[in-house]
């Protein structure tokens, strides 16, 4: 799947930065490679559709994370967006939001 992604012409000339960047695919768009095909299948799962609070899924953010044979295991993490809000009085604070639904697919 990764090889097909790299060969599909969807990546930057700098392969290393392409493998470390996030990507977005809209549900209903034509998949450009096997990774987007897998995302489209996940998006159609009835269990996922029922999990959303009356909202329609519009797409998915995705990225690749390479794991070489000698690498240490990847640490667990949670997906989040962090937004810095600056108030009129000059004070600021962070607002953290997490996705309602997420999925992880491991390719070997």
């Amino acid at each position: 799947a990764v090889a097909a992604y790299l060969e599909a012409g969807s990546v930057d000339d700098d392969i290393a930065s392409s493998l470390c960047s996030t990507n977005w695919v809209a549900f209903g768009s034509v998949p450009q490679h096997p990774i987007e095909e897998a995302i489209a299948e996940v998006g159609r799962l009835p269990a996922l559709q029922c999990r959303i609070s009356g909202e329609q899924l519009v797409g998915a953010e995705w990225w690749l994370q390479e794991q070489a044979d000698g690498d240490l295991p990847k640490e667990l993490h949670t997906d989040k967006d962090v937004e810095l809000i600056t108030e009129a009085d000059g004070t600021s604070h962070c607002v953290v939001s997490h996705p309602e639904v997420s999925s992880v697919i491991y390719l070997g």
Side-chain angles (χ1 to χ4, degrees):
V2 174
Y5 163 68
L6 295 174
E7 293 168 3
S10 305
V11 298
D12 297 333
D13 291 335
D14 180 5
I15 298 274
S17 68
S18 295
L19 291 175
C20 296
S21 62
T22 62
N23 301 275
W24 174 262
V25 60
F27 290 133
S29 64
V30 176
Q32 300 299 306
H33 42 75
I35 295 170
E36 290 186 358
E37 290 173 11
I39 292 167
E41 288 297 318
V42 169
R44 286 192 282 273
L45 291 173
L48 185 61
Q49 295 295 326
C50 294
R51 177 70 176 93
I52 304 298
S53 305
E55 299 290 325
Q56 180 180 359
L57 294 176
V58 295
E61 177 186 27
W62 67 273
W63 62 94
L64 300 172
Q65 186 175 43
E66 194 174 19
Q67 178 76 31
D69 288 338
D71 286 353
L72 294 174
K74 301 298 182 191
E75 295 181 16
L76 296 175
H77 73 282
T78 57
D79 290 333
K80 63 184 173 188
D81 283 334
V82 180
E83 182 179 6
L84 180 63
I85 305 293
T86 303
E87 303 294 343
D89 65 2
T91 61
S92 58
H93 63 279
C94 290
V95 174
V96 178
S97 59
H98 299 275
E100 187 172 335
V101 175
S102 65
S103 175
V104 177
I105 300 173
Y106 293 95
L107 305 172

